[in-house]
Amino acid sequence: MISNFGNYLALVFPTWSLIAQTYVTSISDLIIRCIFGRRVWLMTDRSYPIAICIASMSLLTFVSAFVFASLEIEGKTFTYISKISYLLYMSLGSGVAADMFIAISLCANLWKRRSGFEKSDTLIRTLILYAINTSLLTTLCSLACLITYAVWPNDFTFMAIYFVLSKLFLNSLLATLNTREALSEKISGFSRISVSGNTPTTDSSTRILKNNPVVVSINQEVVKDYELGHALPQKSLPSATNNYLYVY
């Protein structure tokens, strides 16, 4: 049986699933932004001003979206959206600002970590590209949703874009979690350094030599720090400790 067949007035009232999607999107976006924000916080040597800025914008996005959905339930019609449009602008605007701030903070911090060595700088540039790419789609999607609502407030184009936003955030998180393996494979040739006496020699393979092996791994250490959110050292000279030589 088809409910409201021929009743065109029924199109004025939003369905419960439409509003529920807004709650789900706002909650999932907050969780993922918190994960990205924590990574930036740790990468910036636990900078509380940066953490507070990210947390404030993320919470503003969440609260405004949550209140928007709650008021829409009370308003009961799509026409009520125009009366609470300021909440929609606030949510989408703060979301764009939060995503851009996360990407810029992470890129700026990574850029300051350059060591002057070609391969390590190449790795840093690669990490910067990954950081930009993970925030680019979500930022563009939020911006597109904001623009479409501003241009066509009486159409539902912005809703179609908004409901894609949570999927893009989840994909960005999964891409971030899978980054370590991809980067390790890309620079695996720089993963081991062998030393005999005082003269270091580079082993072209990734095997660990049995005779006085001295480890090191710029890809494993830096990528691990990047993924776990640990701060990269500003500068570090090669030094031998406990039979291991760590190169950053």
Side-chain angles (χ1 to χ4, degrees):
M1 179 182 293
I2 300 176
S3 58
N4 293 314
F5 179 77
N7 181 15
Y8 297 106
L9 290 178
L11 297 175
V12 178
F13 304 98
T15 60
W16 67 268
S17 58
L18 195 64
I19 297 176
Q21 179 67 28
T22 304
Y23 286 118
V24 172
T25 298
S26 60
I27 293 172
S28 64
D29 291 357
L30 176 65
I31 293 173
I32 295 173
R33 280 198 181 97
C34 286
I35 294 174
F36 287 161
R38 181 179 180 276
R39 182 179 63 176
V40 174
W41 177 62
L42 293 174
M43 288 287 291
T44 54
D45 300 324
R46 291 176 167 79
S47 173
Y48 284 98
I50 290 179
I52 291 173
C53 287
I54 294 174
S56 299
M57 288 185 286
S58 299
L59 285 174
L60 180 59
T61 303
F62 169 74
V63 172
S64 54
F66 206 89
V67 173
F68 174 82
S70 300
L71 291 178
E72 181 59 26
I73 293 176
E74 294 180 3
K76 297 182 180 180
T77 63
F78 284 114
T79 55
Y80 191 72
I81 291 179
S82 60
K83 297 181 181 180
I84 55 175
S85 59
Y86 65 94
L87 290 171
L88 186 60
Y89 285 120
M90 188 183 300
S91 177
L92 295 173
S94 57
V96 171
D99 293 339
M100 290 181 66
F101 190 80
I102 289 172
I104 291 172
S105 299
L106 190 56
C107 291
N109 184 262
L110 286 171
W111 188 256
K112 290 190 298 183
R113 305 292 179 174
R114 291 174 301 162
S115 63
F117 295 100
E118 182 181 355
K119 290 192 176 181
S120 61
D121 286 352
T122 299
L123 175 60
I124 293 296
R125 286 192 292 270
T126 303
L127 292 175
I128 289 175
L129 288 176
Y130 272 93
I132 292 174
N133 290 335
T134 53
S135 298
L136 183 61
L137 285 177
T138 54
T139 302
L140 290 178
C141 185
S142 297
L143 192 58
C145 188
L146 183 63
I147 292 173
T148 51
Y149 180 72
V151 176
W152 302 295
N154 297 322
D155 294 337
F156 296 146
T157 307
F158 72 96
M159 287 188 179
I161 300 174
Y162 181 77
F163 292 148
V164 175
L165 190 58
S166 60
K167 284 76 175 177
L168 291 179
F169 265 108
L170 183 58
N171 286 336
S172 295
L173 178 60
L174 293 176
T176 300
L177 296 176
N178 292 329
T179 297
R180 187 187 310 170
E181 184 178 354
L183 289 176
S184 297
E185 291 176 357
K186 181 177 292 187
I187 55 175
S188 59
F190 195 55
S191 62
R192 296 282 184 262
I193 293 178
S194 169
V195 192
S196 176
N198 295 324
T199 306
T201 57
T202 303
D203 184 4
S204 59
S205 69
T206 57
R207 294 179 295 106
I208 299 178
L209 300 181
K210 295 182 179 179
N211 298 326
N212 299 323
V214 183
V215 142
V216 100
S217 127
I218 192 165
N219 58 320
Q220 293 176 355
E221 295 296 331
V222 178
V223 173
K224 181 178 179 181
D225 285 342
Y226 171 75
E227 292 303 327
L228 296 180
H230 297 160
L232 298 175
Q234 294 284 354
K235 287 185 179 179
S236 179
L237 297 176
S239 59
T241 17
N242 298 327
N243 295 325
Y244 290 98
L245 175 63
Y246 296 95
V247 182
Y248 294 92

